[in-house]
Amino acid sequence: MDIQTWTSIFIASSFTLYMIIAVWAKAKTTHDFYLANAQIHPLTNGLASAANWMSAASFISLAGLISFLGYDAAVYLMGWTGGYVLLALCLAPYLKRFGQVTVADFIGERYYSQSARLLAVTCTVFISFIYVAGQMRGVGVVFARFLDVNVNLGVMLGMAIVFVYAVWGGMKGITYTQVAQYCVLIFAFLVPAIFTSFALTGQVFPQIGLGASLSGSSEVYLLDRLDGLSQQLGFNSFTNGARSLADKFFITAALMMGTAGLPHIIIRFQTVAKVKDTRLSVAYALVFIAILYTAAPAVAAFAKVNIIESINGANMQGVTEEQSPAWLRNWQQAGLVEWSDNNGDGRLFYSGDQRNEIGINPDIIVLASPELAQLPNWVVALVAAGGLAAALSTAAGLLLVISSSISHDILKQTLNKNLSDQQELKWARISAVLAIIAAGYFGANPPALVAEVVAIAFGLAASSLFPAIILGIFVRKMSRQAAIAGMLSGMLFTLGYIVYFKYLNSPANNADGWLWGISPEGIGALGMVINFSSAFVIQYFVKPAPKAIQQLVVSLRQP
């Protein structure tokens, strides 16, 4: 069977499974819809959390970033996984003990302020929409390539499937759907990685294959071969980074704090019964995430070698258009690979300098890896199903956060405290529908590549929500005025910096133009420092939090 037929089978099967789970796990109350009645087993929650976390950015873009950036992309591995350690130690157990439904709910109650609640809602919704745009775009990319449909139509198909299990099942339906989606995505990621590792290095496990020698040559190691090709063709060395140490530090910090401050990540750990289960859930999630994250560098290296050799040929002179590899022609039709014969020799050539004639979207690396390694069609289709599972699992979590922010924090807690449980559930579902429509629009009109969009969301979460939560847990005297001032200053600075360099003055978006050499991807860490500093300065001039709030904060930290 051809790729399109296999893809249709895998996608139809997985979508049917998601539908069945959604119907089985229908939410009947608001507590079901928001928190799955707080009765999820830690292992189940760990699997769901891993799927919730491993978005299109992780499944589709992470290996692409590593393939193109090499060692510099290690910041994403360290930052994203490090954020879960922060979450386990400093946030999740305390927020579970506080017992609120959303992050904005915690901030509103802890800082005894509706203004603080509404500001947190604004941050939450803004960050979530930026993040979900990347997920929906990832869905469109998969449909465009493997089912030969327009990217925007692919986004609409993704909206339809998320509509069913997010609106119908709420957190309960999403949780069990995400367990299934984790199984699909991890299988889809590892199967081609294992095949390719064995073909290139003779090693079954890609994590070992990354550091192994090439098949048929015990003296030439994969990474040495890749570095040699990189130097020959004008690319940066794969094993040596070009970013400054300061920028690496700030990006890693922004990703760590951003991970710990993302609302759709935090709320997942409210679905278990006990505080102990919260820590256990994070531990399970880290293990399940590490399975993919330790394989991603290997997938990136394998793909880079295969791309170079398939385009440039064994003699590194370039192949003719008639000899061009099938994967390149397929992705060229999808509009994600471009070729221009700059020197008029009729040959394709891929390099990192002025000789380059090929433009490759980094987001295709994982999706194209089975074709690059000339694996069977069913493996190619499996990866497509995995990419959809990754994008849809995170999109559902984000849409639930947006829905609960509107229905619970704005309608129930701010506008109409007498709203009944059934009325709130109805508005939660209506909010989810509206959020899906808006997400579809942003998916069809994204501001940047999937990974770039997600990086903005992390910076904003690190500079706004993370400091407010940390101060709310560990600084008992922190007042509402100080917290609000910190959130506003941190978020406005970070957002202004990103918008300026990404959109208003993109020619200056380089190390020479950045403040202290900090890129827009890392500026969230500096925004976080501004948030903390502003909060403490303002606190010096205003009254501390009321005694009742201080006692509440102290009680949170008692074993």
PDB file of all heavy atoms in Angstrom, residues 64 193 209 254 325 344 351 448 469 545 549:
ATOM      1  N   GLY A  64      14.340  18.637  14.769  1.00  0.00           N
ATOM      2  CA  GLY A  64      14.688  19.577  13.706  1.00  0.00           C
ATOM      3  C   GLY A  64      15.608  20.674  14.204  1.00  0.00           C
ATOM      4  O   GLY A  64      16.581  21.045  13.536  1.00  0.00           O
ATOM      5  N   ALA A 193      13.367   5.568  14.580  1.00  0.00           N
ATOM      6  CA  ALA A 193      14.671   5.848  15.186  1.00  0.00           C
ATOM      7  C   ALA A 193      15.478   4.562  15.354  1.00  0.00           C
ATOM      8  O   ALA A 193      16.693   4.527  15.096  1.00  0.00           O
ATOM      9  CB  ALA A 193      14.480   6.535  16.535  1.00  0.00           C
ATOM     10  N   GLY A 209      23.379   4.477  19.476  1.00  0.00           N
ATOM     11  CA  GLY A 209      23.812   4.687  18.095  1.00  0.00           C
ATOM     12  C   GLY A 209      24.402   6.064  17.855  1.00  0.00           C
ATOM     13  O   GLY A 209      25.297   6.232  17.022  1.00  0.00           O
ATOM     14  N   ALA A 254      14.972  30.445  30.932  1.00  0.00           N
ATOM     15  CA  ALA A 254      13.630  30.835  30.480  1.00  0.00           C
ATOM     16  C   ALA A 254      12.771  29.608  30.206  1.00  0.00           C
ATOM     17  O   ALA A 254      11.579  29.581  30.553  1.00  0.00           O
ATOM     18  CB  ALA A 254      13.731  31.700  29.228  1.00  0.00           C
ATOM     19  N   PRO A 325      16.151  12.759  -4.461  1.00  0.00           N
ATOM     20  CA  PRO A 325      15.478  11.744  -3.644  1.00  0.00           C
ATOM     21  C   PRO A 325      13.975  11.970  -3.569  1.00  0.00           C
ATOM     22  O   PRO A 325      13.497  13.105  -3.653  1.00  0.00           O
ATOM     23  CB  PRO A 325      16.145  11.911  -2.266  1.00  0.00           C
ATOM     24  CG  PRO A 325      16.695  13.293  -2.263  1.00  0.00           C
ATOM     25  CD  PRO A 325      17.083  13.597  -3.679  1.00  0.00           C
ATOM     26  N   GLY A 344      22.942  27.283 -12.084  1.00  0.00           N
ATOM     27  CA  GLY A 344      22.529  26.816 -13.405  1.00  0.00           C
ATOM     28  C   GLY A 344      23.173  25.533 -13.879  1.00  0.00           C
ATOM     29  O   GLY A 344      23.155  25.244 -15.074  1.00  0.00           O
ATOM     30  N   SER A 351      24.188  23.101   1.464  1.00  0.00           N
ATOM     31  CA  SER A 351      25.345  23.501   2.270  1.00  0.00           C
ATOM     32  C   SER A 351      24.932  24.592   3.245  1.00  0.00           C
ATOM     33  O   SER A 351      23.788  25.051   3.237  1.00  0.00           O
ATOM     34  CB  SER A 351      26.480  24.001   1.366  1.00  0.00           C
ATOM     35  OG  SER A 351      26.133  25.265   0.807  1.00  0.00           O
ATOM     36  N   ALA A 448       4.897  32.465  13.321  1.00  0.00           N
ATOM     37  CA  ALA A 448       6.266  31.989  13.053  1.00  0.00           C
ATOM     38  C   ALA A 448       6.245  30.466  12.971  1.00  0.00           C
ATOM     39  O   ALA A 448       5.189  29.838  12.967  1.00  0.00           O
ATOM     40  CB  ALA A 448       7.223  32.454  14.157  1.00  0.00           C
ATOM     41  N   ILE A 469       3.593  32.793  41.253  1.00  0.00           N
ATOM     42  CA  ILE A 469       3.292  31.549  41.981  1.00  0.00           C
ATOM     43  C   ILE A 469       4.343  31.288  43.052  1.00  0.00           C
ATOM     44  O   ILE A 469       4.015  30.959  44.201  1.00  0.00           O
ATOM     45  CB  ILE A 469       3.204  30.364  40.996  1.00  0.00           C
ATOM     46  CG1 ILE A 469       2.072  30.584  39.990  1.00  0.00           C
ATOM     47  CG2 ILE A 469       2.973  29.065  41.760  1.00  0.00           C
ATOM     48  CD1 ILE A 469       2.057  29.594  38.851  1.00  0.00           C
ATOM     49  N   ALA A 545       0.713  41.381  53.193  1.00  0.00           N
ATOM     50  CA  ALA A 545      -0.548  40.662  53.054  1.00  0.00           C
ATOM     51  C   ALA A 545      -1.229  40.521  54.416  1.00  0.00           C
ATOM     52  O   ALA A 545      -0.560  40.493  55.454  1.00  0.00           O
ATOM     53  CB  ALA A 545      -0.289  39.287  52.454  1.00  0.00           C
ATOM     54  N   ILE A 549      -4.026  35.606  55.271  1.00  0.00           N
ATOM     55  CA  ILE A 549      -3.319  35.114  54.080  1.00  0.00           C
ATOM     56  C   ILE A 549      -1.940  34.585  54.462  1.00  0.00           C
ATOM     57  O   ILE A 549      -1.499  33.540  53.972  1.00  0.00           O
ATOM     58  CB  ILE A 549      -3.199  36.233  53.019  1.00  0.00           C
ATOM     59  CG1 ILE A 549      -4.582  36.666  52.513  1.00  0.00           C
ATOM     60  CG2 ILE A 549      -2.313  35.788  51.861  1.00  0.00           C
ATOM     61  CD1 ILE A 549      -5.327  35.599  51.749  1.00  0.00           C
TER      62      ILE A 549
END
